[in-house]
Amino acid sequence: MTILEDLQWRGLYADCTDLAALTKRLAAGPLTLYCGFDPTADSLHVGNLVPLLALRRFQLAGHIPIALAGGATGMVGDPSGKSDERNLQTPEQVAHNIAAIREQLSRFLDFKAASNPARLVDNSTWTAPLSFLEFLRDVGKHFSVNVMMAKDSVRARLEGESGISYTEFSYQLLQANDFLHLRTEMNCELQVGATDQWGNITAGTDLIRKKHGGSLSAWGLVFPLLTKADGTKYGKTASGAVWLDAKRTSPYRFYQFFVQADDADVGKLLRVLTFLSHDEITALEAELKSNPGARTAQKALARELTTLVHGPDALAAAIKASDILFGGSLDGVTEALFNDVVGEVPTKELPAATFGAGLGITDLLVHAGLCPSKGQARKDVEGGGINLNNTRVADVARTVTSGDLLFGKYVLLRKGKRTYAVVHVS
């Protein structure tokens, strides 16, 4: 199966400037392609994985990927997919974000491959030296304002209340110039991205054609945006984006995000975001239909992505943390890992003075809100339904002391199979 056939099977094909010509060119031998990533934050997020992993797919197929970190375009801001003007970042912010994103990009591409090593570039290296007059003469003269205004990203903003600034209106010229530079200097023939980049990408193919009279080939290929079955963007939660940086989204929360994927979404996510084979994915989809309660597909998705983004050790820690909420052992759990779990369950504070030399288990259950009264707490203990630090409590007279505190400050309580509470002694 060719790379384009694989992309189509996975649902990763939305449009191409000339599919027949690109298919013929890919069959002729290795091709250089690129995708740009603007440093709007100091981390990429789940939505960035689609084009980033596409670069990796092309590299695995023998082609040469270029990851572009937008040191120049990041100073301007892409209007695509945005209803309002972006806040301009300072040069210091952009430099900080670029450094962080470069490190993340290097995890997904092989920069030491013998025959087709990936390359990492920053568009500020060729954009910053240009004067405004040079840019207007060499790039701007090839663009019709009428055509620029017809681009979806621009038209949507013009129809909205906030409009669009000249700065963001000009963004497509900068991206077009990037493609022109990479085509002439690095023999890059293909630009890829999500569908919201179609206008910017075709601006580049048009510029190359106009500057070189059709003598240089250049194509654009776009993938569907990563959305849920209901049409909303995937990778967003109530608290914000799901980031690839472990400091922003911990490996445990990253793992849990995918374990909790909706049944309606998981098949698409396995195709789009993993490197599992077609047979493996088809088998997981069949398992999902026959036994959805096992969540086998979701667990496979979470394992593959957590390993890919954070590594096998982080995956093992995330699974161990997840097991805590299913009664798993707390042996060897670090405080940082436990804190991730604490954030998932109700937590009650208990002053150290109140805790004193210890507190009866029934008092603690009432304080934690797991039982409405000491009488009910006694019944629950006697019925075998109470666990302290994931160990069943057998004695209703049990006193919880400082020796029971995890990391000298926490008690993990469970009532029944899945009702948890944490008491923080401070």
Side-chain angles (χ1 to χ4, degrees):
M1 183 174 286
T2 67
I3 178 67
L4 288 179
E5 289 170 338
D6 180 58
L7 292 177
Q8 289 171 331
W9 183 88
R10 292 177 180 275
L12 281 169
Y13 175 84
D15 207 348
C16 178
T17 52
D18 188 338
L19 182 59
L22 178 60
T23 301
K24 183 177 180 180
R25 171 62 188 86
L26 289 169
L31 165 148
T32 299
L33 70 153
Y34 97 94
C35 184
F37 302 89
D38 276 350
T40 55
D42 61 1
S43 174
L44 299 174
H45 53 76
V46 164
N48 296 127
L49 281 175
V50 174
L52 180 53
L53 297 185
L55 287 183
R56 180 169 174 150
R57 295 182 202 281
F58 271 96
Q59 185 174 29
L60 291 173
H63 303 286
I64 304 164
I66 298 174
L68 182 148
T73 42
M75 293 289 292
V76 173
D78 185 358
S80 302
K82 298 294 179 182
S83 58
D84 296 303
E85 190 87 4
R86 294 176 186 267
N87 292 323
L88 291 179
Q89 299 183 99
T90 66
E92 292 75 21
Q93 287 174 314
V94 171
H96 168 75
N97 293 348
I98 281 282
I101 287 174
R102 274 179 175 163
E103 193 278 328
Q104 288 185 339
L105 291 172
S106 67
R107 298 181 205 166
F108 298 91
L109 302 171
D110 186 354
F111 291 90
K112 297 180 181 178
S115 59
N116 62 331
R119 299 189 65 177
L120 182 61
V121 298
D122 180 347
N123 58 13
S124 66
T125 59
W126 60 81
T127 305
L130 283 175
S131 73
F132 184 59
L133 288 176
E134 284 178 307
F135 188 76
L136 287 179
R137 285 176 56 85
D138 296 340
V139 177
K141 70 176 182 178
H142 294 286
F143 285 85
S144 160
V145 171
N146 292 344
V147 173
M148 292 175 67
M149 291 177 67
K151 301 287 186 183
D152 288 343
S153 58
V154 173
R155 189 176 66 249
R157 289 283 289 276
L158 289 174
E159 293 172 353
E161 294 182 1
S162 60
I164 187 171
S165 70
Y166 177 75
T167 300
E168 289 197 356
F169 178 65
S170 303
Y171 182 94
Q172 60 184 281
L173 274 67
L174 291 173
Q175 188 164 326
N177 189 55
D178 288 343
F179 198 179
L180 173 65
H181 175 87
L182 294 175
R183 181 65 185 92
T184 55
E185 299 298 323
M186 299 183 187
N187 196 31
C188 178
E189 298 176 73
L190 173 65
Q191 182 181 174
V192 300
T195 50
D196 62 357
Q197 291 299 305
W198 181 252
N200 294 332
I201 291 173
T202 54
T205 56
D206 288 345
L207 179 61
I208 292 168
R209 176 177 52 81
K210 290 174 181 176
K211 291 282 284 189
H212 293 278
S215 63
L216 293 181
S217 57
W219 295 279
L221 175 68
V222 289
F223 323 112
L225 289 168
L226 189 60
T227 57
K228 298 180 183 178
D230 62 7
T232 58
K233 281 189 177 181
Y234 202 87
K236 297 286 186 179
T237 68
S239 58
V242 177
W243 302 97
L244 305 190
D245 187 336
K247 295 189 291 293
R248 281 177 168 260
T249 301
S250 72
Y252 165 72
R253 294 181 189 279
F254 185 90
Y255 177 84
Q256 282 296 317
F257 177 77
F258 289 102
V259 164
Q260 294 165 13
D262 191 272
D263 288 355
D265 297 318
V266 67
K268 178 174 74 172
L269 295 172
L270 283 166
R271 292 167 181 249
V272 169
L273 296 180
T274 78
F275 290 87
L276 293 175
S277 70
H278 294 194
D279 289 344
E280 289 172 314
I281 292 171
T282 301
L284 287 167
E285 290 173 329
E287 172 72 13
L288 177 66
K289 288 182 179 179
S290 64
N291 186 15
R295 302 188 75 76
T296 305
Q298 283 89 340
K299 291 174 183 176
L301 173 68
R303 284 196 307 270
E304 290 294 316
L305 279 172
T306 305
T307 302
L308 183 66
V309 173
H310 296 294
D313 291 343
L315 171 65
I319 292 175
K320 187 172 184 63
S322 300
D323 287 344
I324 291 173
L325 297 184
F326 289 91
S329 171
L330 296 172
D331 292 342
V333 173
T334 65
E335 185 172 358
L337 204 58
F338 184 78
N339 284 335
D340 270 341
V341 178
V342 168
E344 301 292 318
V345 300
T347 300
K348 291 292 182 70
E349 298 294 326
L350 181 64
T354 303
F355 186 74
L359 204 62
I361 186 65
T362 55
D363 291 311
L364 204 59
L365 288 167
V366 173
H367 179 79
L370 288 181
C371 299
S373 66
K374 291 179 66 175
Q376 184 60 52
R378 280 193 294 273
K379 290 179 182 178
D380 289 335
V381 172
E382 291 167 350
I386 298 299
N387 283 263
L388 170 68
N389 296 337
N390 281 350
T391 300
R392 180 169 293 179
V393 177
D395 184 3
V396 73
R398 168 81 150 84
T399 298
V400 180
T401 67
S402 58
D404 296 305
L405 297 179
L406 300 169
F407 313 108
K409 54 185 140 179
Y410 297 113
V411 173
L412 179 65
L413 297 167
R414 185 174 93 242
K415 178 180 178 179
K417 291 184 176 181
R418 292 299 307 274
T419 306
Y420 279 89
V422 170
V423 176
H424 178 206
V425 178
S426 58

